[in-house]
Amino acid sequence: MRDADRFYINGEWVEPTTSGTMDVLDPSTEKPIATVALGGAEDVDRAVKAARAAFETFSTTSVAERIALLERIIEVYQTRGEDLARTLMAELGAPAALANSAQVGAGLGQFASALDALKNFQFDEDRGTTRIRYEAIGVCGLITPWNWPPLLIAAKIAPALAAGCTVVLKPSELAPLNAVIIAEVLHEAGVPAGVFNLVHGDGAGVGTALTSHPDVDMVSFTGSTRAGVEVARSAAPTVKRVAQELGGKSANVLLDDVDLATAIPRDMGDVCANSGQSCNAGSRWLVPQSRLSEAEEIAKKAAEAIVVGHPEDEGVAIGPLISQAAYDKVQRLIQSALDQGATLVAGGLGRPEGLDSGYFVRPTILTGVTNEMEIWKEEIFGPVITLTAYSDDDEAVRLANDTVYGLSGFVSSADVERARSVARRLRTGMVHVNGNGLDFAGAFGGYKQSGNGREYADFGLKEFLEIKTIFGFGS
């Protein structure tokens, strides 16, 4: 693996102004594979100045020019898919199948989604003699996490470029290497100098400098709710727009008429994909009291069938968690649930058998979980599912909504109209009915402490646009 020891600013790879570095670890071996530079306020200022200068020209480009640019990005991205997959296997521990298909493919899907939105978006609208005009918001600070990096980076860069904005990206310092490849893709595709800039670093050194910078017009952040609060505080004095996709504790409502033998293995795979490290994972399962024993038995078999291991090994479904801190948190929450009265159905504490190093976690099922337990309330970010019994649909909805989060939700029923009825009652930004997955034509984002704003398609494009009203334009 190459080091992430330089920053991409104003169309060039430049040396950091700081000397701090950090090891990038392979989470399946716990060994260093590269070094990432930790930038500071001066590096951020250089990048923002480059983006501000480039905005004067890039914001005036035509829709046709930006369509052509996104088409070139997509073309070059496809040539680097294998490089991205190998990098994600190393810095995330992502199994080969996940890295090659879902991880790399999701990034490509976001560029394609933004391209489609740009082709169909009306930047000017007349209402009588009044013209409504959508214009690029300006310089955007983009902060992305490590769990789905190509997806989350592309979900911000692509609509920002489509809108005519310029950007400064701070990827996660835990998995920065894929961002270097994406920067190379953008450079090869001909993104003008200063339009895209990349500064590596941590939240204290780079994130705060970026979110508080007076020449940054907007911040788009994906990460924990705790970190999102700090981003909002940092951005508040300059009254910049802040779009946030934050934490989740999504409920999966299995109604009493559902085929559990089909739904449970399907939904188990969804939660455990990417080692459970997805903000929208439906990890709180709500099961009819009359069918709880049946659900426990099926869930146990499904969990025990999941193969955990090193990313290059044959048949591996899930790899390690990202870090020691992530591993420790999952272990703590499992222990907390057991201490508070939950019953272990499958998995449990420690690494899976045969794995003596790496941040590997057992796919775990806990039953008898109540809404007073810590594991009910706190986002776990691991392959851990809780089972809670309910008496009727009203109680299921009440329990599903009993959380400070509101990112996603899941509901399954043999009666699709009944499932739709429950879906409408869930206080979440997204709901998956009968196992249907994400659609990049939809809007991604949540209610309550799961954030504000939306990503994907035209919803994501609008986040990077200001609205100008010109009265008397047509008089």
Side-chain angles (χ1 to χ4, degrees):
M1 293 290 113
R2 288 178 301 164
D3 291 328
D5 57 353
R6 293 185 298 162
F7 304 152
Y8 185 78
I9 297 176
N10 205 28
E12 298 179 335
W13 290 99
V14 301
E15 297 292 329
T17 63
T18 57
S19 59
T21 63
M22 187 179 100
D23 286 337
V24 179
L25 302 182
D26 179 338
S28 66
T29 65
E30 305 180 43
K31 295 179 180 179
I33 55 171
T35 299
V36 59
L38 301 178
E42 187 175 343
D43 299 299
V44 170
D45 190 58
R46 292 165 63 195
V48 172
K49 285 178 178 176
R52 175 58 61 194
F55 180 73
E56 298 303 316
T57 301
F58 191 67
S59 62
T60 65
T61 54
S62 67
V63 170
E65 289 173 307
R66 298 199 297 278
I67 287 173
L69 180 60
L70 284 173
E71 289 175 338
R72 290 197 300 273
I73 291 170
I74 289 171
E75 182 179 348
V76 177
Y77 183 97
Q78 290 174 304
T79 70
R80 300 298 301 274
E82 187 175 338
D83 294 338
L84 275 169
R86 284 200 309 269
T87 298
L88 294 166
M89 289 171 66
E91 65 182 343
L92 291 186
L98 179 77
N100 280 283
S101 58
Q103 286 278 3
V104 173
L108 179 62
Q110 283 301 312
F111 281 115
S113 175
L115 174 60
D116 185 65
L118 178 58
K119 288 179 177 179
N120 293 286
F121 193 80
Q122 296 297 315
F123 286 86
D124 294 296
E125 174 190 346
D126 290 329
R127 299 183 180 185
T129 62
T130 298
R131 166 66 58 91
I132 307 298
R133 179 172 175 78
Y134 292 90
E135 297 181 343
I137 195 169
V139 176
C140 303
L142 313 179
I143 301 177
T144 57
W146 47 264
N147 57 325
W148 288 93
L151 164 66
L152 297 167
I153 290 173
K156 298 184 189 303
I157 290 175
L161 297 183
C165 296
T166 58
V167 306
V168 179
L169 170 69
K170 189 204 92 64
S172 171
E173 67 274 22
L174 296 179
L177 306 178
N178 66 90
V180 173
I181 296 175
I182 292 175
E184 292 172 348
V185 166
L186 298 175
H187 181 85
E188 185 178 342
V191 174
V195 171
F196 167 79
N197 304 274
L198 166 66
V199 179
H200 294 293
D202 58 19
V206 173
T208 299
L210 185 58
T211 56
S212 63
H213 200 292
D215 282 334
V216 170
D217 300 292
M218 174 193 175
V219 173
S220 179
F221 171 81
T222 298
S224 70
T225 297
R226 177 194 55 77
V229 170
E230 296 307 313
V231 166
R233 284 180 177 149
S234 180
T238 49
V239 200
K240 52 174 60 73
R241 183 184 298 177
V242 178
Q244 299 178 314
E245 194 272 286
L246 307 176
K249 193 67 179 176
S250 302
N252 181 4
V253 181
L254 297 166
L255 296 177
D256 59 15
D257 61 353
V258 74
D259 178 5
L260 294 178
T262 298
I264 286 179
R266 177 198 70 201
D267 295 349
M268 183 82 66
D270 286 345
V271 173
C272 291
N274 206 38
S275 303
Q277 300 172 123
S278 299
C279 54
N280 59 331
S283 60
R284 285 189 301 133
W285 288 17
L286 304 177
V287 181
Q289 180 67 61
S290 61
R291 304 189 68 187
L292 181 60
S293 296
E294 179 188 359
E296 291 169 351
E297 182 180 347
I298 297 170
K300 175 179 173 65
K301 291 179 180 177
E304 292 175 346
I306 294 173
V307 179
V308 184
H310 292 269
E312 68 277 4
D313 289 350
E314 189 73 25
V316 167
I318 67 174
L321 301 187
I322 186 64
S323 67
Q324 183 70 55
Y327 177 87
D328 290 344
K329 179 182 178 182
V330 170
Q331 299 301 304
R332 178 182 64 79
L333 285 171
I334 293 173
Q335 185 63 63
S336 170
L338 296 173
D339 292 343
Q340 293 176 346
T343 299
L344 188 66
V345 173
L349 298 168
R351 296 183 179 91
E353 186 176 349
L355 296 169
D356 299 324
S357 62
Y359 309 123
F360 296 98
V361 171
R362 300 171 185 266
T364 297
I365 309 294
L366 293 158
T367 191
V369 172
T370 70
N371 60 354
E372 297 177 350
M373 294 181 182
E374 184 181 17
I375 201 166
W376 171 278
K377 300 174 183 178
E378 189 168 341
E379 185 174 35
I380 193 164
F381 239 56
V384 179
I385 291 166
T386 63
L387 301 183
T388 301
Y390 68 85
S391 58
D392 56 28
D393 290 8
D394 288 341
E395 185 181 22
V397 169
R398 180 181 62 77
L399 289 169
N401 290 334
D402 184 23
T403 172
V404 298
Y405 298 111
L407 183 56
S408 192
F410 301 75
V411 57
S412 293
S413 172
D415 181 345
V416 69
E417 284 302 324
R418 186 179 173 201
R420 290 168 180 165
S421 175
V422 170
R424 286 191 289 268
R425 297 172 65 189
L426 299 183
R427 294 287 298 164
T428 61
M430 302 173 287
V431 184
H432 299 262
V433 173
N434 285 338
N436 282 278
L438 285 173
D439 180 353
F440 288 168
F444 193 101
Y447 293 8
K448 300 188 282 185
Q449 291 187 27
S450 287
N452 51 69
R454 293 294 184 269
E455 293 185 319
Y456 299 4
D458 56 319
F459 306 99
L461 177 58
K462 288 178 180 178
E463 293 292 333
F464 294 92
L465 296 169
E466 285 280 24
I467 301 173
K468 176 180 286 181
T469 302
I470 307 176
F471 302 106
F473 185 89
S475 59

